[in-house]
Amino acid sequence: MRTEDLSQAYDKLLSVAGAITDDDPITEAARTQIDWVITHIALSDRMLADTARSILNGREAYVDNASAMSSTTIGTLVSTSSHRDRVDMARHNAHVLIGILDEMPQAAADVDVRTRLVNRDGETVFDGFLAWGDIIHTRTTQHIPGHTATLARLTGNSNHA
């Protein structure tokens, strides 16, 4: 599958996230949101990489973002890691996801994937099938850029949005 645009979206996200330091004058509320966003992205990428592996290996594939939205899971990771650790985890997981996508034939974009999406409160907002290519396209054009804009706004770094 083609990943150039997704790679560029991650480059922007990781540039903004990586520029954040402990010395930046950011409110505690903003830091909490920054921690959530970066950890959420890293967990989402891990889940999407598992889905991609299933597709690549001809197994039934599904997406369920509940663990990447879980306040308990995110809180545990935030409390046991530094900002730098979380950025490194997000960078690593994005690299793994893109690497697997690079191995996939473009035809994999047409695979229907059982998908369950929940919001931050754990409420199901979608439960059905989506084409794998649509999931990756949405990640590329909406999800990652949206989180990049959020990080830029929270840090006052509008140059990267």
Side-chain angles (χ1 to χ4, degrees), residues 77-89:
L77 273 170
V78 168
S79 69
T80 59
S81 62
S82 69
H83 172 77
R84 182 68 39 220
D85 293 337
R86 291 185 292 278
V87 171
D88 288 345
M89 180 174 55

Side-chain angles (χ1 to χ4, degrees), residues 9-32:
Y10 277 112
D11 288 347
K12 290 177 184 176
L13 174 95
L14 294 166
S15 175
V16 173
I20 300 167
T21 69
D22 291 337
D23 298 329
D24 289 341
I26 301 171
T27 67
E28 192 60 35
R31 282 199 187 274
T32 299

Side-chain angles (χ1 to χ4, degrees), residues 51-107:
T51 303
R53 282 185 198 96
S54 292
I55 293 169
L56 192 59
N57 293 314
R59 295 189 313 258
E60 184 176 354
Y62 64 92
V63 167
D64 185 341
N65 75 333
S67 65
M69 297 296 286
S70 165
S71 58
T72 302
T73 302
I74 290 172
T76 298
L77 273 170
V78 168
S79 69
T80 59
S81 62
S82 69
H83 172 77
R84 182 68 39 220
D85 293 337
R86 291 185 292 278
V87 171
D88 288 345
M89 180 174 55
R91 180 176 289 108
H92 171 79
N93 291 356
H95 178 76
V96 168
L97 173 61
I98 290 168
I100 298 167
L101 293 174
D102 283 339
E103 293 178 31
M104 299 180 92
Q106 192 59 40

Side-chain angles (χ1 to χ4, degrees), residues 126-137:
F126 180 83
D127 191 357
F129 287 88
L130 294 171
W132 179 242
D134 291 343
I135 293 168
I136 298 304
H137 177 75

